[in-house]
Amino acid sequence: MWGGRFGSKPDPLMEEINASIDFDRHLYRQDIAASKAHAAMLAKTGIITAQDAKRIAHGLDTILSEIETGKFKFKRALEDIHMNVESRLDELIGSAAGRLHTARSRNDQVATDFRLWVRDAIDRIDAALAAYQRALAQKALTHAATVMPGFTHLQAAQPVTFGHHLLAYVEMAARDRGRFADARARLNESPLGAAALAGTSFPIDRSMTAKALGFTRPMANSLDAVADRDFVLETLAASAIAAVHLSRFAEEIVIWSSSRVGLLHLSDAFTTGSSIMPQKRNPDAAELVRARSGRIVGALTSLLMVMKGLPLAYQKDMQEDKEGTIDALGALALSISAMTGMVRDMKPEVARMKAAAGEGFATATDLADWLTRMLNMPFREAHRVTGKIVAKASAAGVSLDKLPLETMQAIEPRITKAVFNVLTVDASVKSRAVYGGAAPKNVRAQAQAWLKKLKT
């Protein structure tokens, strides 16, 4: 493949470290699409004949069919997807195949292919995230009034609802989709025609190939076109954040479904057993989603380290962009699907959730708010008074709504029996009617709004 410059074959170790076909074969569809667009442009500009372009297109279609039906034989000696396709094209159509590489290099070819592949991956991930949001919003609507404890520091803090908690992840997924959309918009420029690094002396039409491949425009600088991997880094950064969001939820599922906590139940569909302990039901799907976040974050870190010291333009180091990225985006897509399945499958333990919501004096803030609102007490003073009342309830071993009125009045005489109207968990969540709050009517409205938005 190196023409006349080299007189002998590479050492087998060189061949081993240099080959990328084991992972860049995933780019076959994008490589063939870009080659067809390039050949059509070469014919339109008169650089090759229309007959040769027709032969090339037909040969590429044959190769696409061979790969998709499993008949294509990939050869590691040919290093990568580009040379494997070109070599097979030569076998199919002869010398016309040699004209395809006119006015391009593997440098702009791989940059184009990988942009197309990442763009396709982003579209798949966006669709998966939308399905995940729908599952969350549907479950949130069903459980808009299912009271559960809200936590800070993993301690019961204030009552919320299960629906409200789920909608928090809908919002996170929306930001994830926004980051992917931003990354997609920025990557959607075509490197094709930048050739090795300086452009080409042939009178090509870069706008034609850009349009044919769905890019908004050609990249403006040939050095940047072949040397840039920001589009991969940005996509991996969005992936890493999305994976962390999934991992946080997975951690909650692991905790909530444990026998000691018992807030949530997963069916056999998303749990596994033990080879030695017959009673076990392990939330392995959630645990694996949690673990895969490490692979995705690791892919981002790895590529950042590859790119940090590279001068312009293309360096062979950049071959390392694909294996980790392909693995990471595949892991993310699978994790999203697994989480979507778990959301649809999970069943909250409603009674246990409500009981847990009242533990730890979770309505103490409601008491402080009542003192401020009804007795015109400065909030800091109300906070101090409430703390004393909580201490009394703790010593008596009762919840705030079961503490005798006389005990409260011994601390603050102006307290009336009306205080008990705000001390139940149901009253607490109902009162959180501010925009974005946990009130069931808010949760229903937000869930319905999301479901309507996700239809479009």
Side-chain angles (χ1 to χ4, degrees):
M1 76 183 76
W2 306 120
R5 175 65 178 85
F6 288 76
S8 62
K9 291 183 178 181
D11 187 284
L13 284 174
M14 179 62 194
E15 194 171 285
E16 181 67 23
I17 196 172
N18 197 40
S20 60
I21 189 59
D22 292 341
F23 46 88
D24 70 14
R25 67 174 62 190
H26 291 279
L27 278 58
Y28 74 88
R29 185 184 296 277
Q30 290 78 19
D31 189 71
I32 289 171
S35 290
K36 288 177 71 174
H38 185 66
M41 181 275 296
L42 292 176
K44 181 81 180 291
T45 54
I47 297 171
I48 66 173
T49 66
Q51 190 61 33
D52 279 345
K54 187 175 180 181
R55 289 193 193 98
I56 289 168
H58 183 266
L60 290 171
D61 285 338
T62 299
I63 293 168
L64 179 62
S65 176
E66 288 178 347
I67 295 174
E68 293 190 331
T69 56
K71 297 176 182 176
F72 189 90
K73 303 245 186 278
F74 292 99
K75 300 174 183 176
R76 297 192 86 240
L78 293 173
E79 293 189 7
D80 57 31
I81 185 63
H82 322 301
M83 298 309 296
N84 269 267
V85 169
E86 188 173 321
S87 175
R88 178 60 177 147
L89 187 63
D90 182 70
E91 292 172 356
L92 289 170
I93 69 171
S95 61
R99 300 190 185 280
L100 175 59
H101 210 54
T102 306
R104 77 174 183 184
S105 160
R106 283 197 299 177
N107 293 357
D108 64 336
Q109 189 178 0
V110 70
T112 302
D113 292 355
F114 204 29
R115 280 176 185 264
L116 291 171
W117 187 91
V118 171
R119 190 178 71 184
D120 290 343
I122 287 174
D123 291 344
R124 290 191 296 272
I125 287 169
D126 181 73
L129 283 169
Y132 173 56
Q133 286 182 294
R134 279 192 292 273
L136 287 164
Q138 286 162 353
K139 187 75 74 171
L141 186 59
T142 301
H143 292 283
T146 299
V147 178
M148 68 169 287
F151 299 96
T152 62
H153 309 278
L154 265 185
Q155 306 297 315
Q158 291 178 319
V160 295
T161 71
F162 187 48
H164 190 60
H165 196 103
L166 295 176
L167 287 179
Y169 287 103
V170 177
E171 297 291 335
M172 291 184 202
R175 294 194 295 274
D176 292 330
R177 293 180 68 191
R179 276 182 282 271
F180 280 115
D182 289 345
R184 191 191 193 284
R186 271 185 287 278
L187 74 77
N188 206 34
E189 297 181 350
S190 175
L192 198 56
L197 76 161
T200 177
S201 60
F202 288 95
I204 62 173
D205 185 346
R206 293 189 63 207
S207 294
M208 179 180 170
T209 50
K211 183 178 180 181
L213 294 170
F215 290 115
T216 54
R217 65 185 70 83
M219 294 185 74
N221 183 284
S222 61
L223 290 169
D224 183 47
V226 298
D228 169 57
R229 289 300 182 272
D230 288 1
F231 70 97
V232 190
L233 291 170
E234 192 169 359
T235 301
L236 285 174
S239 299
I241 296 170
V244 168
H245 288 158
L246 296 175
S247 183
R248 294 181 72 179
F249 193 15
E251 171 73 358
E252 291 183 327
I253 292 171
V254 171
I255 293 171
W256 294 351
S257 62
S258 70
S259 57
R260 286 185 175 272
V261 177
L263 298 183
L264 197 67
H265 176 79
L266 288 175
S267 76
D268 294 353
F270 288 94
T271 56
T272 64
S274 165
S275 64
I276 189 173
M277 296 170 284
Q279 83 282 7
K280 290 297 294 297
R281 180 192 294 275
N282 301 321
D284 282 6
E287 291 172 6
L288 289 168
V289 168
R290 186 176 60 185
R292 276 183 168 82
S293 64
R295 286 164 61 177
I296 297 163
V297 173
L300 170 61
T301 304
S302 176
L303 186 56
L304 283 168
M305 293 302 99
V306 168
M307 297 301 297
K308 71 176 180 60
L310 298 188
L312 297 180
Y314 182 81
Q315 316 291 331
K316 193 69 169 183
D317 311 51
M318 291 158 67
Q319 182 170 288
E320 290 295 307
D321 62 352
K322 291 169 206 65
E323 188 170 11
T325 302
I326 290 168
D327 177 76
L329 298 188
L332 178 62
L334 180 57
S335 294
I336 296 167
S337 295
M339 289 299 293
T340 304
M342 280 186 279
V343 168
R344 291 172 179 152
D345 179 76
M346 63 176 57
K347 289 182 173 55
E349 300 289 355
V350 176
R352 174 63 190 135
M353 277 190 170
K354 187 168 185 178
E359 294 172 358
F361 311 105
T363 58
T365 305
D366 298 275
L367 173 56
D369 288 347
W370 186 89
L371 294 171
T372 298
R373 187 171 56 250
M374 302 305 293
L375 304 184
N376 199 28
M377 188 181 291
F379 182 78
R380 284 301 174 199
E381 175 63 14
H383 187 285
R384 186 185 66 79
V385 169
T386 299
K388 289 184 176 183
I389 293 173
V390 167
K392 288 289 186 182
S394 179
V398 298
S399 60
L400 287 175
D401 61 324
K402 297 294 189 294
L403 189 68
L405 178 60
E406 296 77 13
T407 305
M408 295 188 198
Q409 289 175 332
I411 297 169
E412 172 48 66
R414 292 179 293 166
I415 296 177
T416 68
K417 65 180 181 181
V419 73
F420 291 103
N421 293 332
V422 302
L423 295 183
T424 65
V425 292
D426 288 315
S428 178
V429 294
K430 187 176 180 181
S431 72
R432 310 292 170 180
V434 65
Y435 179 78
K441 69 175 184 179
N442 285 15
V443 176
R444 289 189 192 94
Q446 288 285 351
Q448 288 165 345
W450 268 115
L451 289 169
K452 182 178 180 181
K453 183 176 182 180
L454 289 164
K455 278 186 179 178
T456 59

